[in-house]
Amino acid sequence: MGERIRTVVADDHYLVREGTRQLLDMSGEIAVVGAVGNADELLDAVRRLGPDVVVTDIRMPGGDWRPGFEGIDAAHRIRTAHPGVGVVVLSQFSDALFAFELFKHGTEGYAYLLKDRVGDLDELLGAIRAVAGGGSVIDPKVVEGLLARRDVRGQQEALTGRERDVLREMAHGRSNSAIARALHLSISSVEKNVNAIFTKLGLENSGDVHRRVAAVLAYLGPDR
């Protein structure tokens, strides 16, 4: 096994913070080098400890921060000052407006997951690995909600059911081979669906993970 991913955890609830810290430490892949309770402490910890990844709650009341967006605003400051640090934002909000707020300056190195993902270690570890490598992840439940909303409004060029499945997996930050495993498809079939998605959406095909998520966001965005 290679070096552990050095991670700082931020959450204002002590039990949640410590539970997340222990869960990650026990995974064997993550070394939690700091656990803090607010956005100010988070910025200080990143500056002092130089982690690879930050896992932060979206809301951490206190200090001179935008109420309700403390974790997102801290994420933007961290990525600006320390562009090599990936950030996973954990949120109780499935409303995509919060995800768009996180990704508004770009998608590279960011993940937006619902907090119930903490209980699914594989999902959380996948997001941490992705942002550590400069990739991006958006929670599939957020994508599903947006797809349902767009279905109600109607689409000029509707995706097929299989293409929608592949789109959700793309939003989850998965590579073509990982999508193939998840959906029990051949890699060539996944590639065909990905190409069809990009063609229908008028988006440039790219194998780069964070650009794939950016494409998903561009399609599902509120201005469409």
Side-chain angles (χ1 to χ4, degrees):
M1 183 178 294
E3 287 189 16
R4 292 190 178 197
I5 300 172
R6 302 177 73 255
T7 302
V8 170
V9 174
D11 196 296
D12 62 314
H13 293 285
Y14 175 79
L15 292 178
V16 174
R17 182 170 70 246
E18 287 303 301
T20 303
R21 180 186 66 77
Q22 292 181 30
L23 186 68
L24 292 175
D25 268 335
M26 290 188 298
S27 72
E29 292 188 43
I30 310 297
V32 178
V33 296
V36 300
N38 61 54
D40 291 319
E41 292 176 354
L42 175 56
L43 295 186
D44 180 64
V46 171
R47 185 168 52 250
R48 290 186 296 102
L49 302 172
D52 304 307
V53 171
V54 163
V55 177
T56 180
D57 191 9
I58 192 173
R59 301 186 73 175
M60 292 180 289
D64 187 20
W65 294 84
R66 195 165 44 136
F69 293 88
E70 297 89 352
I72 288 177
D73 291 345
H76 291 156
R77 291 196 197 181
I78 289 167
R79 290 287 299 166
T80 297
H82 311 277
V85 178
V87 182
V88 177
V89 173
L90 299 176
S91 173
Q92 63 268 45
F93 305 113
S94 59
D95 190 324
L97 291 177
F98 291 94
F100 289 122
E101 183 70 14
L102 176 65
F103 293 117
K104 68 181 180 181
H105 300 306
T107 63
E108 184 174 358
Y110 290 114
Y112 184 90
L113 293 184
L114 298 182
K115 292 193 79 170
D116 57 11
R117 298 295 179 190
V118 173
D120 189 332
L121 185 57
D122 287 340
E123 296 280 358
L124 183 55
L125 290 176
I128 291 173
R129 291 188 211 105
V131 299
S136 302
V137 175
I138 180 171
D139 198 290
K141 288 185 180 178
V142 176
V143 177
E144 288 170 6
L146 283 164
L147 283 170
R149 187 183 307 169
R150 289 182 63 80
D151 282 347
V152 171
R153 284 157 41 189
Q155 293 176 226
Q156 187 173 2
E157 288 187 308
L159 300 178
T160 67
R162 179 59 74 193
E163 288 163 358
R164 286 161 55 89
D165 291 340
V166 171
L167 180 65
R168 290 189 183 93
E169 298 298 320
M170 286 170 58
H172 203 37
R174 292 195 169 103
S175 65
N176 285 355
S177 59
I179 293 172
R181 290 193 297 272
L183 298 180
H184 306 291
L185 298 172
S186 67
I187 292 179
S188 61
S189 178
V190 172
E191 290 173 348
K192 179 180 178 181
N193 280 283
V194 169
N195 289 334
I197 290 167
F198 278 98
T199 297
K200 288 184 177 182
L201 305 186
L203 299 166
E204 180 183 356
N205 191 357
S206 170
D208 187 84
V209 175
H210 70 264
R211 291 188 65 184
R212 286 155 68 102
V213 174
V216 172
L217 288 168
Y219 171 58
L220 296 173
D223 294 331
R224 289 261 327 183

